[in-house]
């Protein structure tokens, strides 16, 4: 697909959009088949040192009651994941760089790897230094998810305070490559001021960095953040359908451009439409991440408003996600890790 076609498809709806989805589905069938893999996600802490302007749990939001789960609570989640037979676990939190926080996560990864050696372990805890990433990898972490949010520097700097470095984020992604992680990144779609060319730049960036997996989703407002004022709120409400469509289109285009990558169906899509994640699977996503976080912590982990699955528990999320895969007409694959084919292919011949 050339850039003009890509831009056309990113903006498509109705017939043209169906044409795009037919294309992306053919590519999926050919390269990775109809399998969908599960990752139980544990949002183990909402403590964050950063202040991203769009995020509900940013450091300066004083309306958030902070928590960090203790090991016993996490062990309970891990037992659930075992029982539900998800093949992988994702540990997600805000960014914490104190030695205490680093030890806590390292020991946790060590425990998971020793107790459940068969699991894929994904870390999603922000920008961490090379040596520590290396220790996590040695302890058994296999994948790391760090969204670039936007690959366009000027837009990045509108979304983050000036001491949040775009360069450092890039360097982290490169470090993960060097350390042989399965590297995951992604963007937000529908950021105020984001153009179709910006989305095209994100796709180029994804190819350049040669990521193995993607977690990407629509931007959703959160009232307690500096990005949102009356005007943005109105703009966002008026553009809901457009943002939703664009995200689905983006997933489909990404599947066509990077056919063997893992792409997660973002929970944030369900804010726009209860069938959001199902649609994402239909048009190219092959990963779903049922929330395993204990119910009592869920309402404290509000990255954006109207976050789904807040009143549910792990059992309900397991049933619901399995159902979504069925509704999408795809295969529920339990009990295996479902590593990125892109990673497996690119590691052939790697020394
Ligand atoms: N809307 C959508 N996604 C958000 N995230 C944070 N805030 C928002 C928001 N308002 C996403 C970011 C981050 C991930 C953990 O959550 O992309 O990487
Ligand atoms: Fe912290 Fe991540 Fe939210 Fe930024 S997006 S404030 S790093 S939790």
């Amino acid at each position: 697909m050339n850039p003009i076609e890509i831009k056309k498809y990113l903006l498509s709806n109705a017939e043209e959009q169906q044409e795009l989805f037919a294309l992306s589905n053919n590519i999926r069938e050919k390269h990775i088949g109809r399998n969908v893999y599960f990752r139980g996600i544990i949002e183990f802490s909402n403590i964050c040192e950063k202040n991203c302007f769009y995020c509900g749990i940013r450091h300066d939001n004083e309306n958030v009651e902070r928590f960090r789960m203790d090991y016993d609570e996490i062990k309970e989640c891990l037992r659930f994941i075992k029982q539900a037979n998800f093949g992988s676990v994702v540990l997600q939190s805000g960014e914490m760089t104190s030695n205490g926080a680093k030890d806590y996560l390292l020991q946790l990864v060590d425990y998971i790897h020793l107790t459940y050696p068969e699991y894929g372990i994904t870390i999603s805890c922000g920008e961490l230094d090379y040596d520590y990433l290396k220790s996590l990898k040695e302890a058994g972490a296999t994948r790391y998810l760090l969204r670039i949010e936007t690959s366009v520097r000027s837009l990045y700097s509108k979304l983050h305070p000036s001491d949040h470095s775009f360069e450092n984020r890039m360097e982290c992604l490169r470090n993960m490559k060097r350390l042989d992680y399965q590297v995951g990144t992604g963007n937000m779609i529908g950021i105020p001021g984001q153009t179709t060319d910006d989305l095209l730049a994100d796709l180029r960036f994804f190819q350049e960095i040669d990521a193995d997996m993607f977690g990407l989703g629509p931007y959703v407002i959160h009232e307690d953040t500096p990005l949102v004022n009356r005007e943005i709120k109105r703009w966002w409400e008026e553009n809901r359908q457009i943002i939703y469509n664009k995200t689905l289109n983006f997933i489909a285009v990404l599947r066509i451009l990077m056919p063997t990558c893992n792409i997660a169906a973002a929970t944030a899509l369900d804010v726009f439409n209860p069938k959001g994640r199902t649609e994402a699977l239909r048009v190219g996503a092959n990963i779903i991440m049922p929330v395993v976080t204990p119910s009592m912590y869920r309402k404290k982990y509000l990255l954006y408003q109207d976050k789904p699955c807040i009143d549910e528990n792990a059992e309900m999320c397991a049933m619901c996600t399995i159902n979504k895969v069925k509704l999408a007409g795809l295969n529920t694959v339990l009990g295996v890790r479902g590593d990125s084919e892109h990673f497996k292919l690119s590691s052939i011949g790697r020394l």
Side-chain angles (χ1 to χ4, degrees):
M1 261 200 293
N2 64 41
I4 294 170
E5 275 178 306
I6 293 176
K7 280 173 30 176
K8 175 191 83 174
Y9 279 131
L10 287 175
L11 296 172
S12 66
N13 52 37
E15 260 170 52
E16 208 165 61
Q17 190 179 37
Q18 292 312 313
E19 184 185 297
L20 168 65
F21 295 164
L23 274 174
S24 66
N25 248 308
N26 275 338
I27 299 268
R28 174 227 295 274
E29 293 270 357
K30 201 157 114 204
H31 291 267
I32 56 166
R34 305 179 71 79
N35 287 354
V36 176
Y37 303 100
F38 288 68
R39 283 88 172 89
I41 180 166
I42 309 174
E43 299 147 324
F44 67 88
S45 174
N46 64 358
I47 301 171
C48 188
E49 292 170 9
K50 290 216 151 164
N51 260 315
C52 307
F53 293 147
Y54 44 84
C55 176
I57 63 167
R58 60 197 298 276
H59 178 270
D60 288 357
N61 185 0
E62 287 173 359
N63 298 330
V64 177
E65 205 184 305
R66 304 288 165 173
F67 72 90
R68 185 175 80 177
M69 288 168 61
D70 64 34
Y71 285 153
D72 284 340
E73 291 172 312
I74 296 190
K75 285 178 184 172
E76 189 61 41
C77 294
L78 292 167
R79 279 192 287 273
F80 178 81
I81 290 174
K82 181 80 198 164
Q83 179 203 318
N85 208 14
F86 303 147
S88 296
V89 58
V90 179
L91 298 173
Q92 192 178 72
S93 71
E95 190 171 305
M96 292 176 274
T97 57
S98 70
N99 288 335
K102 281 162 128 182
D103 285 349
Y104 165 99
L105 181 60
L106 188 59
Q107 278 190 43
L108 185 57
V109 170
D110 205 40
Y111 170 84
I112 299 175
H113 185 56
L114 285 174
T115 318
Y116 306 98
E118 68 280 17
Y119 282 2
I121 305 176
T122 308
I123 310 295
S124 175
C125 302
E127 296 167 28
L128 301 169
D129 63 81
Y130 180 90
D131 289 340
Y132 183 63
L133 284 175
K134 187 161 183 277
S135 316
L136 286 174
K137 182 80 177 35
E138 284 163 0
T142 44
R143 315 173 179 136
Y144 204 107
L145 181 61
L146 179 67
R147 290 186 179 183
I148 192 73
E149 314 298 356
T150 172
S151 66
V152 178
R153 263 162 218 271
S154 51
L155 189 56
Y156 190 92
S157 63
K158 285 186 192 142
L159 297 175
H160 301 92
S162 56
D163 62 348
H164 291 27
S165 157
F166 181 80
E167 267 314 310
N168 193 51
R169 192 162 281 226
M170 294 282 275
E171 188 56 18
C172 283
L173 287 167
R174 285 190 216 108
N175 284 341
M176 289 164 200
K177 278 263 160 198
R178 291 183 187 115
L179 290 165
D180 210 26
Y181 275 97
Q182 291 176 50
V183 176
T185 190
N187 58 349
M188 284 188 295
I189 293 151
I191 302 165
Q194 185 181 47
T195 64
T196 313
D197 278 319
D198 294 343
L199 293 175
L200 192 65
D202 290 347
L203 289 163
R204 277 208 189 96
F205 169 78
F206 294 166
Q207 286 191 316
E208 266 162 34
I209 195 107
D210 199 27
D212 303 297
M213 41 185 231
F214 294 96
L216 56 92
Y219 166 66
V220 181
I221 53 171
H222 188 299
E223 304 245 1
D224 287 343
T225 60
L227 204 60
V228 178
N229 54 31
R230 283 232 315 272
E231 216 177 307
I232 296 289
K233 187 167 147 58
R234 211 184 56 212
W235 167 84
W236 187 84
E237 292 291 355
E238 284 169 6
N239 283 277
R240 285 176 81 111
Q241 189 57 33
I242 292 174
I243 295 171
Y244 176 74
N245 264 329
K246 236 190 238 178
T247 308
L248 292 179
N249 295 347
F250 192 94
I251 292 172
V253 170
L254 183 58
R255 173 57 67 211
I256 295 167
L257 297 181
M258 300 186 74
T260 55
C261 285
N262 278 346
I263 305 177
T267 311
L269 279 165
D270 289 13
V271 173
F272 298 78
N273 181 334
K275 293 206 185 87
R277 277 182 287 173
T278 310
E279 293 287 306
L281 292 169
R282 271 205 192 114
V283 307
N286 68 324
I287 301 289
I288 195 151
M289 309 209 299
V291 181
V292 180
T293 314
S295 304
M296 63 183 287
Y297 294 123
R298 295 187 180 206
K299 46 189 160 316
K300 298 181 182 166
Y301 203 86
L302 290 188
L303 304 165
Y304 47 82
Q305 74 172 34
D306 302 330
K307 193 166 170 240
C309 318
I310 294 302
D311 300 319
E312 278 74 7
N313 60 30
E315 283 85 5
M316 292 156 96
C317 286
M319 281 196 317
C320 171
T321 46
I322 288 171
N323 201 33
K324 287 183 194 305
V325 176
K326 254 192 220 131
L327 279 173
L330 299 169
N331 306 332
T332 295
V333 186
L334 297 170
V336 298
R337 290 160 52 140
D339 286 318
S340 158
E341 287 299 322
H342 179 271
F343 179 80
K344 289 191 221 162
L345 290 170
S346 62
S347 56
I348 295 171
R350 197 184 294 151
L351 290 173

